[in-house]
Amino acid sequence: MTNLVMKMLTHRKAGFAGAFVALLCAAALVTACGMLLDTGLRGAVAPERYAGAPVIVAGDQYARLTKESGKEKAKALTERRWIPASLAGEIARTPGVEKVVTEVTFPYAGFTAHGWESAGLTPFTLARGRAPEAPGEVVVDARHSGATIPGHRVVGVTAQALPSQDTLFFSTEEARRLAGRPGQLTAIGVFPQVDLTVRDAQVYTGAARGAVEFLDAENARIRLISLGGALGGTALIVAMLVVVGTFALSIQQRQREIALLRAVAATPRQVRRLISGEALAIGVAAGPLGAGAGILLGIWLHREFVGLGAVPANLPLVVGPFPPIAAFLCTVLAGLAAARLAARRVVSIRPVEALGEAGLPARRLPWSRIAAGLLVTAGAVVLTVVLASLTTEAASSPVTMLTALTWTIAVALLGPVLAVPFRVPGVTGHLARRNLRAGRKRMASVVTPLTLLIAVTCTSLFVQTTMEAATQRELDAGVRADHVIRGGTAADARRVPGVEAATAVLRTSVRVGLDKYTAQAVTPDGLGATMDLGVVAGSLARFGDRSAAVSSTAADRLDVAVGDRLSLLLGDGTPAQVEVAAVYARGLGFGDLTLPYALVSGHVDDPRGTVLVAGGDRTALERALPGATVLDHVVAIAPAASNAPATSNAPATAIAPATAIAPATSNAAVNYVAMGLIIAFCAIAVVNTLAMSTSARSRELALLRLVGTTRRQVLRMLRTETATALALSTALGTGIALVTLAAFSTGMTGSALPYVPPLTYLAVITAAAVLALTATAIPARFILRTPPAEALGTRE
């Protein structure tokens, strides 16, 4: 049997090349996704600033909840949890402790700022100058020697610089004042290494010091787990669909050969073993090569994510054996399953029927395939209804792509029924239509990857545009301010002549239980003059220091109404209880919850947010607030030209911030890069399938040449066939995307109308058309170079 398998592979190189390419690409994609997931699970960040301290005492950076079963669940906090300064004295009195170094860390003007008393943690030493002593004095790291800090005087330069962070030192008193956390510390370094048990804090040693130093890295690990899992699951479904389609086309082209084997007494079991052996050989050859290519792809993907700011550079990619091994096994199993599934009918029916179908394909589908197609269609309908009811990104993101893929699988199963060629005028149109009517299965095998490409691309792109457009609409309607200020204070803005109201705004997130909600913190005075949240219940007149306004979507999830009490955890894990004063409609533009500024400002890493100003003159504001950036209303709420680095661990299809003042969410560019891999795989499948389909028709095209058809007419006929398949695929793929997007938009925005930019949609269809026509024309031209008589005499 092994000898026969090898002869078959040698005899039909072109046909098996398509299956080899499909499996190789599948292995590469699964490997790359697996490396992201592995990095999220096993990746570690080495400490930099805390590398010189053997023990770090800091706050627990997780929100924890104990279930009724006694099992504890934890979620990473989005803001740093600080600890009481009094712990430093207690730790210093612990036997064995020789020295403690207190640390205050906060972002400032693009730097990571500290008090000079914590310089010994790394340690930092002065290369020149002196330590900061008075307000307005700073020390910069060696990388910024010669730099100027607006409003401050550089009095010293360190001899060291950290690889992943720009460091700035204030005097101890000034740093604690600017951090806005009186009586609290970021961390405490302990020398030498001793066993400690500290109340109200956690003890970190070894690699755990890196996790507490770089909170973004820990959140990035969680993001990679989510992204790698979602992308890997999508990749597996797409890969299986593509591989099954490729093997189905290969088996279809060999139907006569397999029928002859049956006719000369080969048993179904022997034929299955032969086909399985071929698939196994292709999988074993493609798997290692694909896994190797996948490692390179994973390295590139990690580098792109680092460049986009979604993954910190000091979270290195884990290159381990598990993803390539898993990809190899998945490739082999997918090939075996696809080959067995594709050959099921031709192997199971009687030899005479097999020969009859090889000569004249059956005009109707088997009932089992129709039943499977209807069952998958029913599943797609259910998923669509479920998607329309989902109102959060975490819930809707995985279901969105799954819904589109399920509809595509239904199209693949029912493809020969749906592949009805329409009438095309002219001689070549007549030939194309006759060919397509006679080869519906072949047409269906071409339509499926084209439909998959269009549906996946449109869904991936227009989920983003739909959410961005909805967010933009709410901001356009809700922002009443004339100016938006960055780097200034509301108190300073209110003193400017002509200013009617100034609202300070901070962006953060909170947790209710362990569920995360986006939130904004605002000062209540003059709020109505600067923003309109679209209140639908209650009144912002009741908004005070211990109250909150809740978006209608969040109110439904939390099951709260006006007057109810709501317990939550602020960004740094501090518990708080607020009373719901109002429910508003514009949650996409302004966040799930609106909280008092006084409640939140002491619990965020960076208390400097934005200020919305009603009235006043821009020039006067810039003069009164030196160093601040003042934007006009139109500029401030215009869609961003580029997306800021992500700050949330949102899933693969999450939205990007639309404007300068929108709630911070994940980076859309990251999602485009991630889904771009799936789209590229679909594009390769289109080219692969069309090339296989065209190459297998060399004898048919030779016959047409012999009966007088010119090369130009043959090429025109093939282009017409491809255009017909493309038109059908465009209708099906667009329909799948629209149904999926309408359901997504209904749940997430309340409107069933997604936003589809016409030029972007046209570019998608044009790209699909160019791919399809090119993949048909190139092999056809090679075939037509061979004289017809020679082509008929050669074996495929």
Side-chain angles (χ1 to χ4, degrees), residues 609-654:
T610 57
V611 179
L612 304 184
V613 179
D617 178 72
R618 178 179 174 180
T619 304
L621 287 167
E622 289 175 336
R623 189 164 48 246
L625 284 78
T629 301
V630 181
L631 301 175
D632 289 335
H633 166 91
V634 175
V635 176
I637 69 168
S642 61
N643 295 311
T647 58
S648 71
N649 53 345
T653 57

Side-chain angles (χ1 to χ4, degrees), residues 680-736:
F681 185 30
C682 295
I684 292 171
V686 167
V687 173
N688 194 25
T689 302
L690 282 164
M692 285 178 62
S693 178
T694 305
S695 299
R697 299 173 64 185
S698 58
R699 294 175 63 83
E700 174 192 329
L701 299 182
L703 281 171
L704 286 173
R705 294 284 310 285
L706 284 176
V707 297
T709 309
T710 66
R711 289 181 59 185
R712 179 176 294 180
Q713 287 175 323
V714 171
L715 288 172
R716 192 181 302 163
M717 178 197 73
L718 291 174
R719 284 196 296 269
T720 304
E721 291 180 14
T722 302
T724 303
L726 180 65
L728 180 59
S729 301
T730 299
L732 291 171
T734 302
I736 289 171

Side-chain angles (χ1 to χ4, degrees), residues 403-458:
T403 302
L405 291 176
T406 305
W407 279 112
T408 306
I409 293 170
V411 167
L413 289 169
L414 300 175
V417 175
L418 301 173
V420 180
F422 47 81
R423 190 177 299 278
V424 181
V427 175
T428 53
H430 175 76
L431 282 173
R433 187 166 184 269
R434 289 292 182 180
N435 272 330
L436 293 174
R437 283 177 62 87
R440 280 196 179 186
K441 285 187 177 180
R442 184 177 65 221
M443 181 183 179
S445 66
V446 171
V447 166
T448 297
L450 275 169
T451 301
L452 178 66
L453 174 63
I454 293 170
V456 168
T457 304
C458 289

Side-chain angles (χ1 to χ4, degrees), residues 380 383-384 387 398-408 736 739-740 743:
L383 282 173
T384 304
L387 180 60
V399 178
T400 301
M401 194 53 64
L402 181 61
T403 302
L405 291 176
T406 305
W407 279 112
T408 306
I736 289 171
V739 168
T740 305

